[in-house]
Amino acid sequence: MKEFWVYILECAEEKYYTGSTTDVERRLYEQKTKKYNGYTSYRLPVKLVYTQKFNSYHEAFQFERKIKN
């Protein structure tokens, strides 16, 4: 069974980023190494401060949206 994760990163200047993924370790590595040009790439360093596992993409997505609202 595939696992889905919601995670929160603390970025520079005490800003926070919330996302979801199927692989937290890989995604954290991508964030730290600027693999994608986005929000966190301009706010390094980042630190993982929260994770929660879900059984479905829908549950993870709904929880991520709840946090962002």
Side-chain angles (χ1 to χ4, degrees):
M1 177 183 242
K2 199 170 204 175
E3 298 175 334
F4 300 87
W5 296 86
V6 170
Y7 63 94
I8 299 175
L9 301 176
E10 182 178 357
C11 303
E13 302 167 2
E14 297 182 4
K15 305 276 185 188
Y16 290 89
Y17 175 85
T18 302
S20 56
T21 185
T22 56
D23 186 338
V24 176
E25 302 256 338
R26 176 187 49 82
R27 191 66 184 117
L28 183 58
Y29 174 79
E30 292 169 348
Q31 300 280 8
K32 288 182 173 184
T33 60
K34 298 183 180 184
K35 180 165 182 158
Y36 304 106
N37 189 19
Y39 183 87
T40 59
S41 64
Y42 299 103
R43 290 166 179 84
L44 293 174
V46 296
K47 179 174 115 180
L48 183 65
V49 294
Y50 178 84
T51 60
Q52 185 167 336
K53 181 171 66 169
F54 294 88
N55 293 321
S56 75
Y57 169 78
H58 179 73
E59 289 175 326
F61 181 77
Q62 292 298 323
F63 189 69
E64 179 184 350
R65 291 290 158 222
K66 187 176 182 180
I67 290 171
K68 288 181 174 180
N69 288 333

